[in-house]
Amino acid sequence: MIVRYMLRINQNPMRHLSTRKMKLLNLSLLIHLCSLLLVSTQPTNQPPFSCDSTDPLTKSYKFCKTTLPINRRVEDLVSRLTLDEKISQLVNTAAAIPRLGIPGYEWWSEALHGVAFVANISQGIRFNGTIRSATSFPQVILTAASFDPYLWYRIGQAIGIEARGVYNAGQARGMTFWTPNINIFRDPRWGRGQETPGEDPLVTGKYAVSFVRGIQGDSFEGGKLGESLQVSACCKHFTAYDLDNWKGINRFVFDANVTLQDLADTYQPPFQSCIEKGKASGVMCAYNRINGVPNCADYNLLSKTARGQWGFNGYITSDCDAVSIIYDEQGYVKEPEDAVADVLTAGMDLDCGEYLKNYTGSAIEKKKVAVSDIDRALHNLFSIRMRLGLFNGNPAKQPFGNIGSDQVCSQEHLNLALEAARNGIVLLKNDNSLLPLAKTEITSLAVIGPNANSSETLVGNYAGPPCNPVTPLQGLQSYVKNINYHPGCSTVNCSSDLADEAMKIVKGTDQVVLVMGLDQTQEREAHDRVDLVLPGHQQKLVTRIASAANKPVILVLLCGGPVDITFAKNDQNIGSIIWAGYPGEAGGRALAEIIFGDHNPGGRLPITWYPQNLTKIPMTDMRMRPEPSSGYPGRTYRFYQGLKVFEFGYGLSYTNYSYEFLPLTKDKVYLNNQSSDKIALGYKSVSEMGTELCEKSKLPVTVRVQNNGEMDGKHAVLLFVRQAKTGNERPIKQLVGFNNVDLKAGEKAEIKLELSPCEHLSSAEGDGQMVVDEGSYFLSIGDKESEITVVFSEDTSDAATSKLMILPRILIFFYIYSFIHSFIPMHIVLK
């Protein structure tokens, strides 16, 4: 999105803007200035709002009457607008309407893992006043490694509070944040995979629900949001978007060939969860086409699926310039007005760009667009602004008006950022229990690597200025005073390693820590990788340092996407490997705490780590399922049949855990409520079974977890399921539940999870229909399994029990009869 407007190279974003973009930027800034001059008599440090109670004119407007339902208020507002005013509201930088006391509004703000500032482009958030920074949480891919939905919720909640604090301080022109990114991390080369919760649809969906509930102001369980929004979240990029720029193929022209089967059980579920359970108030349609149709011009996707089937009640925005490329780059339509017509009739409401502002008027003149389509879009847009309280008068007197600047970078939020980094970091190797290091025995360290002292690398992309970043070097310095540091390479790309110089600090030190990996020069928006190995001479540097060290070294990797480090995994001179993602501003401290044993690592990989030979497969191949006949191995742990460096869900600890399934309340699941022509084929469609049967078939799964080691620890318990009979394009296995458990040494606990057969045992047919197969399934946690069976015939257990109860009654009758007969003649009894 950002890179559509600028490229961040050499820290000089302006020089890479095209002339057209420069003009758009200047125009955008001019509109902002005019909006402020025309509308605001409010103090500059006061947030912009409408319906000022001190203005007698606003009292006559129905749209200012908070006692009326929002839809009535919006109808009144839209009815007062001229056509030109209506068109001016269809773009991300919505113009002010001075005659109605409505200030300009900026729809585009970012908060992927903390409130961010889109430099020189969007004026939604500014760090130019009393607030100069915001809490920078770990990049999403690392947060996902905690497998902790309540942590995800609290991070969203903290970001929402800080966003309101920035707005209340008068440093925001919008409260709509285009986050979270919930695309599936299908291919490890994707530059934006770091922004996502990983490759699993269930994890991604749960992350979306938890984060959105938190940032919008809902409860963790949901259902308490009502009409008021703390801020507005926007789930993106809808849909099947996971290629940016690979070998000259870019996202603007890429036509993703996606089967209905893969859409149904991989690409779409996170968005369905985000809408139905998370109640997201925004959705962003993606740049790419799906099977020939641009996402933002797809009526079936936006209106029929999102609004019709899933009940979406919010606004739909394009990604930035996604409307213009429909004509300019994809050539999907014959003229610009056709692009405008296609997106509006498809159900899109907002253009991040200028296309709707430039061509909607002429599209109406050419009778390609009806004013009613514009009114519908405006209804969705103004409804969100009203739900945010921006038409309720002075924000200081509104529900979120008491959130002050002191809640931005608060100690509570900084502690949460540290907790998130601690719980996400994954221990990948720990031969001979090299870690944790003994604090009393380590008096000197050699810290080497281009990522060891980079605060910029810590935060990944879409990050705002952090409050108090701590690099890995700084974190280690809090434990060991005698530290020798050398970057090892001049930059992360390591085009020329400085191994000879770095070797000088290795000799004589108690321990060597190498901090290597990637950064935003290697993986980012608009830049996918072509290799999975460490950049440049990094591998050579690591190997040389490890062989020269007095004892096995510790290798720390900062990166979003996975790296093929098979060499390090098999090198006896490398004793421990830690993946720390992009751990946010507290990442250096969290990493040092783990290395020295003040925290026991419990994170697990949210994505498969593949070998380098996966790069032989075109990134453009969107198929999830394998094709053995052609050698195509499939994608993600659910379908991939090739070799792995590390598996999805892999992660070590300083302690040992054991698992035990407690007996299930039932080991047979009966799914028969009506006749079906699919039963003879061995499967049954979920839609056919209906909501009542699906709810009735749910069953609890209880697992006893014990910490058998000598160190307290918190880790994720992952429940998988696999079918006894593999094949038929079904997943090899899939995650169906997860939870976190915090256990002291020697302690045990029971973890309760819920299995929903209609959701967790189903997979997609070729036509996209979700079905459940009859037969045996195996639930697994760690090395333990428990079998359940899906049966389509009627549950006869109750009937059998009733029949068994009849027998004792018959016996009692005959006993009484015989007793009476022994005293009374037969003819009297029968009489």
Side-chain angles (χ1 to χ4, degrees):
M1 180 197 305
I2 294 176
V3 184
R4 184 66 186 170
Y5 282 82
M6 70 177 194
L7 298 174
R8 293 178 178 176
I9 301 177
N10 299 327
Q11 308 303 312
N12 188 357
M14 299 301 291
R15 60 180 261 201
H16 295 279
L17 287 171
S18 65
T19 302
R20 184 170 83 92
K21 296 302 178 189
M22 283 295 295
K23 290 179 179 178
L24 290 176
L25 175 57
N26 292 334
L27 180 60
S28 175
L29 294 175
L30 180 62
I31 290 172
H32 283 303
L33 289 173
C34 291
S35 298
L36 291 172
L37 290 172
L38 288 170
V39 175
S40 185
T41 58
Q42 304 156 3
T44 55
N45 63 345
Q46 187 170 325
F49 63 91
S50 300
C51 302
D52 189 344
S53 60
T54 63
D55 182 355
L57 187 61
T58 62
K59 294 180 180 180
S60 63
Y61 299 147
K62 285 186 180 179
F63 67 80
C64 289
K65 298 186 183 301
T66 58
T67 56
L68 293 175
I70 283 181
N71 66 325
R72 291 269 306 277
R73 297 172 66 192
V74 171
E75 287 174 5
D76 177 71
L77 173 53
V78 174
S79 70
R80 296 174 184 272
L81 302 180
T82 66
L83 181 58
D84 286 343
E85 288 171 340
K86 289 180 178 181
I87 292 173
S88 74
Q89 301 300 301
L90 297 176
V91 291
N92 63 290
T93 304
I97 307 173
R99 67 183 184 86
L100 296 177
I102 300 174
Y105 185 81
E106 180 55 63
W107 286 89
W108 180 10
S109 292
E110 300 286 353
L112 180 68
H113 54 107
V115 180
F117 172 53
V118 189
N120 299 312
I121 300 297
S122 167
Q123 297 296 307
I125 294 290
R126 303 181 302 279
F127 289 103
N128 60 353
T130 57
I131 298 174
R132 296 283 178 169
S133 57
T135 307
S136 184
F137 295 93
Q139 183 59 288
V140 177
I141 191 67
L142 186 74
T143 300
S146 69
F147 287 86
D148 187 345
Y150 189 57
L151 174 65
W152 304 338
Y153 169 79
R154 288 186 292 143
I155 290 174
Q157 190 178 47
I159 293 172
I161 289 170
E162 294 203 358
R164 267 289 170 172
V166 173
Y167 171 77
N168 289 343
Q171 293 178 224
R173 294 194 64 256
M175 292 300 294
T176 38
F177 291 84
W178 292 350
T179 184
N181 181 341
I182 56 170
N183 294 117
I184 295 297
F185 198 168
R186 171 189 60 90
D187 191 293
R189 293 164 285 188
W190 186 30
R192 300 188 73 177
Q194 59 181 292
E195 303 173 24
T196 76
E199 69 182 38
D200 181 73
L202 177 70
V203 173
T204 304
K206 283 186 176 292
Y207 178 87
V209 172
S210 300
F211 182 87
V212 167
R213 284 176 177 171
I215 197 170
Q216 291 194 157
D218 203 350
S219 64
F220 175 63
E221 297 80 11
K224 295 184 179 180
L225 186 62
E227 285 191 340
S228 296
L229 293 170
Q230 180 171 253
V231 303
S232 170
C234 176
C235 288
K236 64 184 185 183
H237 310 82
F238 195 39
T239 186
Y241 164 64
D242 53 14
L243 178 149
D244 267 59
N245 194 341
W246 177 78
K247 293 188 176 182
I249 301 171
N250 67 55
R251 55 187 172 167
F252 310 125
V253 298
F254 179 50
D255 186 2
N257 187 0
V258 184
T259 66
L260 294 175
Q261 188 176 34
D262 289 340
L263 274 174
D265 68 4
T266 299
Y267 296 110
Q268 296 289 63
F271 288 95
Q272 184 174 0
S273 294
C274 187
I275 289 170
E276 290 185 342
K277 298 177 182 177
K279 304 298 181 185
S281 49
V283 165
M284 175 184 287
C285 50
Y287 288 116
N288 59 292
R289 287 170 286 172
I290 300 292
N291 303 326
V293 182
N295 275 308
C296 292
D298 191 341
Y299 176 84
N300 285 331
L301 184 68
L302 305 186
S303 292
K304 188 174 179 181
T305 301
R307 294 196 188 277
Q309 295 178 16
W310 300 342
F312 177 59
N313 181 26
Y315 78 101
I316 298 176
T317 180
S318 76
D319 207 334
C320 294
D321 275 351
V323 180
S324 68
I325 65 173
I326 292 174
Y327 170 72
D328 295 341
E329 298 187 40
Q330 295 175 354
Y332 182 73
V333 293
K334 294 181 179 180
E335 59 182 3
E337 289 81 3
D338 291 328
V340 171
D342 281 3
V343 298
L344 285 175
T345 55
M348 196 197 80
D349 304 307
L350 183 76
D351 174 19
C352 180
E354 302 288 329
Y355 228 62
L356 285 183
K357 186 167 68 175
N358 294 339
Y359 294 106
T360 300
S362 55
I364 292 173
E365 291 175 0
K366 294 181 178 182
K367 301 189 183 305
K368 293 177 181 289
V369 171
V371 175
S372 59
D373 290 326
I374 298 174
D375 289 349
R376 181 222 70 230
L378 294 178
H379 189 280
N380 293 331
L381 295 172
F382 280 114
S383 292
I384 297 300
R385 289 171 68 174
M386 288 189 182
R387 290 184 66 190
L388 288 165
L390 304 182
F391 284 80
N392 293 353
N394 191 340
K397 301 177 181 178
Q398 305 308 320
F400 303 104
N402 61 344
I403 299 175
S405 58
D406 60 327
Q407 295 192 55
V408 182
C409 289
S410 67
Q411 191 58 52
E412 179 183 356
H413 294 170
L414 296 179
N415 292 343
L416 182 60
L418 176 60
E419 178 187 344
R422 286 170 176 160
N423 293 343
I425 291 174
V426 181
L427 181 63
L428 298 175
K429 179 181 179 181
N430 197 27
D431 286 355
N432 301 314
S433 299
L434 173 60
L435 294 177
L437 300 179
K439 300 172 192 174
T440 56
E441 297 177 8
I442 302 297
T443 60
S444 62
L445 279 180
V447 179
I448 299 170
N451 280 335
N453 198 34
S454 172
S455 58
E456 185 177 354
T457 301
L458 282 178
V459 297
N461 69 349
Y462 279 92
C467 312
N468 183 27
V470 178
T471 67
L473 176 62
Q474 292 167 337
L476 292 169
Q477 285 172 335
S478 66
Y479 283 87
V480 180
K481 300 306 178 187
N482 183 13
I483 289 184
N484 292 314
Y485 161 68
H486 194 282
C489 304
S490 55
T491 59
V492 165
N493 67 13
C494 208
S495 55
S496 59
D497 71 87
L498 308 174
D500 291 338
E501 295 178 27
M503 296 275 281
K504 297 175 183 177
I505 70 170
V506 172
K507 298 295 183 181
T509 57
D510 294 332
Q511 188 65 57
V512 177
V513 179
L514 289 149
V515 189
M516 314 300 287
L518 311 175
D519 65 4
Q520 299 308 300
T521 67
Q522 305 298 308
E523 55 174 351
R524 65 180 185 275
E525 184 174 6
H527 182 83
D528 300 320
R529 288 186 288 162
V530 294
D531 289 304
L532 294 179
V533 293
L534 288 170
H537 296 285
Q538 279 198 37
Q539 179 173 330
K540 176 184 173 184
L541 173 67
V542 171
T543 303
R544 284 191 64 188
I545 296 296
S547 63
N550 300 325
K551 58 182 69 172
V553 302
I554 300 162
L555 175 61
V556 176
L557 296 171
L558 299 189
C559 55
V563 179
D564 183 353
I565 51 167
T566 303
F567 80 94
K569 184 179 176 182
N570 298 328
D571 190 337
Q572 293 182 349
N573 294 321
I574 300 173
S576 296
I577 304 174
I578 295 173
W579 175 64
Y582 296 121
E585 66 175 76
R589 180 179 168 186
L591 186 61
E593 288 181 354
I594 287 172
I595 289 174
F596 281 95
D598 283 336
H599 183 78
N600 188 351
R604 294 175 178 265
L605 294 177
I607 181 172
T608 304
W609 282 38
Y610 301 88
Q612 166 70 2
N613 64 12
L614 185 84
T615 59
K616 296 177 182 178
I617 300 169
M619 194 174 169
T620 51
D621 194 328
M622 301 290 289
R623 290 176 296 167
M624 300 301 300
R625 287 157 168 83
E627 187 180 72
S629 62
S630 65
Y632 181 69
R635 301 301 182 93
T636 78
Y637 80 95
R638 295 165 62 231
F639 301 104
Y640 176 70
Q641 295 181 339
L643 297 174
K644 307 176 187 73
V645 180
F646 293 108
E647 291 192 336
F648 171 91
Y650 178 82
L652 302 175
S653 170
Y654 295 154
T655 190
N656 298 308
Y657 298 97
S658 61
Y659 307 97
E660 177 189 359
F661 279 100
L662 298 188
L664 297 171
T665 55
K666 54 182 178 179
D667 59 6
K668 286 185 172 61
V669 178
Y670 293 89
L671 298 176
N672 186 42
N673 61 343
Q674 55 186 325
S675 62
S676 170
D677 57 357
K678 302 292 193 304
I679 290 180
L681 301 176
Y683 64 86
K684 192 169 184 180
S685 92
V686 173
S687 60
E688 212 172 50
M689 287 184 272
T691 303
E692 183 178 350
L693 179 60
C694 286
E695 285 295 320
K696 183 180 177 182
S697 66
K698 291 180 179 179
L699 68 152
V701 177
T702 306
V703 181
R704 181 174 292 130
V705 186
Q706 182 163 357
N707 182 345
N708 299 309
E710 299 178 354
M711 190 171 183
D712 300 350
K714 179 179 181 181
H715 80 296
V717 177
L718 309 183
L719 176 66
F720 292 93
V721 69
R722 66 176 179 86
Q723 288 186 242
K725 294 182 180 179
T726 59
N728 198 27
E729 298 191 324
R730 302 300 191 239
I732 299 168
K733 67 175 182 178
Q734 63 184 17
L735 187 68
V736 296
F738 55 92
N739 209 333
N740 260 258
V741 58
D742 200 343
L743 296 175
K744 297 185 182 302
E747 187 180 9
K748 64 177 66 174
E750 293 182 0
I751 303 299
K752 297 185 184 300
L753 301 165
E754 183 179 68
L755 182 72
S756 172
C758 292
E759 178 184 358
H760 298 144
L761 304 185
S762 63
S763 57
E765 286 286 278
D767 60 1
Q769 182 178 215
M770 299 300 294
V771 301
V772 177
D773 292 325
E774 189 172 29
S776 292
Y777 294 77
F778 289 93
L779 302 173
S780 66
I781 291 183
D783 59 352
K784 295 295 189 296
E785 287 194 332
S786 179
E787 184 178 5
I788 61 170
T789 305
V790 171
V791 181
F792 291 154
S793 60
E794 289 186 16
D795 184 354
T796 57
S797 58
D798 290 341
T801 301
S802 298
K803 290 177 181 178
L804 289 173
M805 292 298 292
I806 293 173
L807 184 59
R809 293 172 185 173
I810 294 174
L811 291 174
I812 291 172
F813 172 78
F814 278 106
Y815 175 79
I816 295 172
Y817 176 82
S818 300
F819 177 78
I820 296 173
H821 182 264
S822 64
F823 294 98
I824 305 172
M826 175 66 74
H827 71 278
I828 296 176
V829 174
L830 294 177
K831 190 175 182 179

